[in-house]
Amino acid sequence: MMVNEDHVKASDTQSTCLQEFVNSPEKQKALYKRTLFVVSVSQIFGGAGLAAGVTVGALIAQQMLGTDAYAGVPTALFTLGSAGAAWLVGKLSQKKGRRAGLTTGFILGGVGAIGVIFSAILNSVFLLFLSLLVYGSGTATNLQARYAGTDLAKAKQRGTA
């Protein structure tokens, strides 16, 4: 019984907080600016980190395999993983909301990045290739996160956002 009462209180608190934003154009504008800033900064750092990771993955593969013959395989796996994750994150976002989809995608990208590190430590090409496939989730998610900036934008601001 207490759990239900706590849930109702939390729900009422959220409704009150949301209502303050609905009724206040100033608060809406401040939230929009803050959201756009956070999305922009995350795009800069996320994009740079993901690009560096793919480059490092290709260099690790070259070192492990001892040849340049398969230098494109890491990038191809990364791209394939990104395509699959775009579909997965999109579906999850439709069912559970953008936050759940983006969170899942970024976590998978992080798991892939950790896998790349372990593959280098263990000198495992198989683990490297598998990790790069999962690492692609980070790129797909980073690209989809750009649209979070448009969620709060008014109709006239959507192109700029």
Side-chain angles (χ1 to χ4, degrees), residues 48-58 78 116 132 135:
L50 288 160
V54 161
T55 303
V56 169
F78 176 79
V116 170
L132 285 168
Y135 185 64

Side-chain angles (χ1 to χ4, degrees), residues 71-109:
V73 172
T75 304
L77 289 170
F78 176 79
T79 303
L80 182 63
S82 182
W87 179 82
L88 175 72
V89 170
K91 284 291 187 186
L92 190 58
S93 294
Q94 284 178 333
K95 288 183 180 179
K96 302 283 185 179
R98 188 182 307 265
R99 182 175 293 180
L102 294 178
T103 299
T104 301
F106 280 129
I107 287 172
L108 286 172

Side-chain angles (χ1 to χ4, degrees), residues 1-15:
M1 193 88 128
M2 289 295 284
V3 174
N4 289 337
E5 289 176 13
D6 290 342
H7 179 71
V8 170
K9 288 179 186 176
S11 180
D12 288 343
T13 303
Q14 285 177 337
S15 295

Side-chain angles (χ1 to χ4, degrees), residues 53-142:
V54 161
T55 303
V56 169
L59 293 172
I60 292 171
Q62 179 206 17
Q63 184 179 18
M64 285 181 184
L65 297 169
T67 180
D68 292 337
Y70 302 104
V73 172
T75 304
L77 289 170
F78 176 79
T79 303
L80 182 63
S82 182
W87 179 82
L88 175 72
V89 170
K91 284 291 187 186
L92 190 58
S93 294
Q94 284 178 333
K95 288 183 180 179
K96 302 283 185 179
R98 188 182 307 265
R99 182 175 293 180
L102 294 178
T103 299
T104 301
F106 280 129
I107 287 172
L108 286 172
V111 168
I114 291 168
V116 170
I117 293 167
F118 277 112
S119 71
I121 292 169
L122 300 171
N123 200 32
S124 171
V125 174
F126 176 76
L127 181 58
L128 175 66
F129 287 171
L130 181 64
S131 297
L132 285 168
L133 190 68
V134 176
Y135 185 64
S137 299
T139 293
T141 306
N142 202 43

